[in-house]
Amino acid sequence: MSISTEYAVTIRPLPVADGGGFIALVPDLPGCMSDGETPEEALANAQDAIACWIEAAHEMGRPIPRPTPEEPVQMLKFG
């Protein structure tokens, strides 16, 4: 059985007090997140984080959730 790596990613800006840039969260994979200076960099880093999360879960024999059908990338803006 093959599991898609097309997981939804939520990208939001980080406060300047936290270093600025953007955080990318993967809601379907608990604890899976990354960041970057730009939304594009955060998304690219999130793709690497997804692959690592899936590999680690597989090695530990843990189930890998299927992606929730949504838009693949969601950008949240604050303020």
Side-chain angles (χ1 to χ4, degrees):
M1 175 175 75
S2 175
I3 298 213
S4 171
T5 58
E6 293 296 319
Y7 289 89
V9 177
T10 300
I11 299 173
R12 67 177 188 216
L14 286 168
V16 174
D18 291 337
F22 295 83
I23 188 164
L25 306 166
V26 186
D28 288 331
L29 304 177
C32 185
M33 65 182 80
S34 193
D35 64 1
E37 292 296 316
T38 65
E40 295 81 11
E41 183 180 6
L43 178 60
N45 292 341
Q47 295 303 316
D48 290 339
I50 290 168
C52 290
W53 194 103
I54 291 171
E55 181 180 341
H58 180 69
E59 288 174 1
M60 292 185 286
R62 294 189 176 167
I64 300 167
R66 292 191 179 275
T68 300
E70 312 182 357
E71 290 296 317
V73 177
Q74 180 181 12
M75 180 73 174
L76 299 178
K77 296 183 181 179
F78 297 92

